[in-house]
Amino acid sequence: MKKRFVSFLTILGMGAAMFAQEADAAANGAAAAGAIKYLAAAIAVGLACLAGGMAVGKIGAAAMGAMSENPELSGKALPFVGLAEGICLWGMLVGVLILFK
């Protein structure tokens, strides 16, 4: 009777250890997925802001050059700068959507 009880406790202990390893692996997988999610959001925002900054620099320089020759063009040139800044906002929106999915 004592051998059966010891065998039962051994099997029960091995089962608990096996489930603990599976839970640990699942927790590590979830942590890796969370880290990839943060990395993807950072890349989305970073690349969008980099591209938006380059676009604003080129469009802004061209708009200022055009307005120095003809001041009436300011109403037509400045909205293009705003459109280029919108690229950064779209990148931030994508980053937020990635984080809260």
Side-chain angles (χ1 to χ4, degrees):
M1 178 79 178
K2 188 175 180 182
K3 278 187 168 183
R4 284 176 116 179
F5 185 69
V6 171
S7 298
F8 175 73
L9 287 179
T10 304
I11 291 172
L12 186 65
M14 287 187 337
M18 188 169 59
F19 284 121
Q21 287 177 355
E22 287 179 9
D24 188 35
N28 286 340
I36 290 173
K37 180 170 63 170
Y38 289 120
L39 183 64
I43 289 172
V45 173
L47 289 178
C49 288
L50 186 67
M54 290 170 40
V56 167
K58 290 187 184 267
I59 293 171
M64 291 301 126
M67 284 190 302
S68 68
E69 292 180 12
N70 187 0
E72 296 172 0
L73 292 177
S74 63
K76 295 179 182 177
L78 290 181
F80 290 110
V81 176
L83 288 172
E85 289 177 5
I87 295 170
C88 301
L89 294 175
W90 280 107
M92 189 177 82
L93 179 67
V94 168
V96 167
L97 290 174
I98 289 171
L99 287 178
F100 293 115
K101 181 177 181 192

